Amino acid sequence: MKRMGYLGPKGSFSEEALHYFVQVHQDLLPLDYQPFSTIPRLLLACDRKEIDWAFVPLENSTEGQMGVTMDTLGQIQELYITREFVHPVDHCLLTPEPLPLPEIQRVYAHEQALAQCREFLDTHLAQAEQIPCFSTAEAAGKISSVREPWAAIGPRRAAQLYHLHLQEERIQDGVLNATRFVLVGPQLAEMSGDDKTSFLVTTENSPGSLYRILHELAVRRINMTRIESRPSKQKLGEYVFFIDVDGYVFSPAIQEVLEAFREKSVFAKLLGSYAKAHPDESVF
Ligand SMILES: O=C(O)C(=O)Cc1ccccc1
């Protein structure tokens, strides 16, 4: 049985998304599910072959990139994104028992959950201290073990699992709040015929360096669908770029681009080539 790691504990958004993901990707079954407390630990466990797959959040429609996932994927050599999955995330306010909002003194949640619910928190819980946790499920577990006027933000299912009161539902700023999760593993996915390729490029800080990278894509009519920057962590003002393009990595056009990068001493790291997700547009 293959081992599937996710950001836990039980009752996290990642676990909820994974539940729906495997319904669509039944070829992966049967699976032994293993929760991890942080995204770097999860990805490193996959790199060390302690698990076969890692299911991780990559970006969110309200708050943007999950920096920790991108940074860790950028650092690990032999792991690839093999599938993607877009999941709607509805944030709920959970409390140990029914409680008027002005009495709540603390709100525990994953930092992305706090960020995705900023307007609700500013409007209704301005007095409450915000405490970031490794996951929303960890936050739910924390407030369930004490009788304090504290709240957590998490999925509906966390209320049942941690015996909490569902105080408010859908408190996120963007009503259609979607998160893109990816399945990471040690081997490149096979070509499906409707693929995208993700890579990371590092370029020197000089006039036109990003332009020269994009030029190589443009002249080959390769469609870029996403470009994100992250700090290089080496020097203030230096960045690495995460780029998604249409097509499979072994297509002649993408191979030519990678060759052109090598000739120009542009460092490019392949992050994966995988079937594009086509989320239901009525939901997102
Ligand atoms: O904290 C969680 O439950 C997670 O799985 C991470 C997360 C947080 C907010 C939106 C999507 C995923």
Side-chain angles (χ1 to χ4, degrees):
M1 199 187 303
K2 298 277 189 200
R3 297 152 299 178
M4 170 73 81
Y6 67 96
L7 178 68
K10 260 181 171 303
S12 64
F13 280 112
S14 295
E15 191 209 38
E16 180 186 86
L18 181 54
H19 171 79
Y20 290 102
F21 172 75
V22 295
Q23 286 182 11
V24 184
H25 295 270
Q26 297 210 357
D27 57 303
L28 295 167
L29 295 172
L31 287 168
D32 171 25
Y33 296 96
Q34 296 190 15
F36 283 78
S37 58
T38 70
I39 291 172
R41 278 179 206 156
L42 165 55
L43 289 170
L44 290 171
C46 195
D47 190 39
R48 290 196 291 258
K49 313 261 185 300
E50 291 160 19
I51 50 174
D52 300 284
W53 301 110
F55 186 74
V56 285
L58 190 66
E59 66 167 331
N60 174 268
S61 58
T62 310
E63 210 25 53
Q65 48 183 246
M66 287 269 182
V68 67
T69 305
M70 291 168 55
D71 292 347
T72 315
L73 280 177
Q75 285 155 10
I76 293 178
Q77 286 310 316
E78 301 290 334
L79 283 185
Y80 300 101
I81 300 173
T82 62
R83 302 187 194 196
E84 65 172 359
F85 186 65
V86 180
H87 180 66
V89 167
D90 275 339
H91 290 288
C92 301
L93 189 73
L94 314 169
T95 47
E97 53 204 28
L99 201 60
L101 295 186
E103 288 180 22
I104 293 175
Q105 288 171 5
R106 289 186 191 176
V107 183
Y108 288 81
H110 186 278
E111 58 179 8
Q112 270 272 342
L114 291 170
Q116 291 168 30
C117 302
R118 195 174 295 135
E119 281 170 25
F120 179 89
L121 294 172
D122 285 349
T123 313
H124 301 286
L125 291 168
Q127 80 288 352
E129 189 186 351
Q130 296 176 14
I131 302 185
C133 298
F134 286 139
S135 71
T136 57
E138 189 211 12
K142 267 201 172 120
I143 67 155
S144 71
S145 54
V146 290
R147 291 279 135 200
E148 299 284 352
W150 296 348
I153 298 175
R156 215 163 276 120
R157 191 171 119 81
Q160 295 155 12
L161 279 174
Y162 295 94
H163 308 291
L164 293 168
H165 172 66
L166 200 54
Q167 181 91 25
E168 302 274 344
E169 294 187 64
R170 300 193 128 204
I171 63 167
Q172 64 270 12
D173 299 346
V175 182
L176 304 177
N177 184 40
T179 296
R180 189 153 72 94
F181 290 83
V182 289
L183 181 71
V184 171
Q187 269 156 21
L188 206 55
E190 279 172 25
M191 190 170 105
S192 76
D194 182 20
D195 302 280
K196 64 160 81 164
T197 296
S198 300
F199 46 87
L200 177 157
V201 286
T202 314
T203 168
E204 83 278 18
N205 181 10
S206 68
S209 57
L210 180 59
Y211 166 77
R212 282 192 289 277
I213 290 172
L214 301 184
H215 174 79
E216 297 300 341
L217 300 174
V219 291
R220 294 173 181 88
R221 307 193 64 76
I222 296 176
N223 187 36
M224 183 175 72
T225 53
R226 176 173 177 251
I227 179 164
E228 295 262 13
S229 64
R230 292 286 302 155
S232 70
K233 294 185 198 276
Q234 308 292 325
K235 201 168 150 200
L236 182 66
E238 255 184 29
Y239 298 94
V240 296
F241 296 95
F242 287 77
I243 293 178
D244 284 0
V245 297
D246 283 344
Y248 190 72
V249 62
F250 294 136
S251 69
I254 296 183
Q255 283 296 307
E256 271 181 33
V257 166
L258 294 174
E259 183 54 37
F261 286 170
R262 273 190 290 272
E263 278 168 16
K264 293 186 167 168
S265 304
V266 172
F267 172 80
K269 176 182 179 323
L270 177 66
L271 296 172
S273 232
Y274 46 98
K276 279 188 218 169
H278 291 287
D280 179 354
E281 280 169 16
S282 62
V283 181
F284 301 106

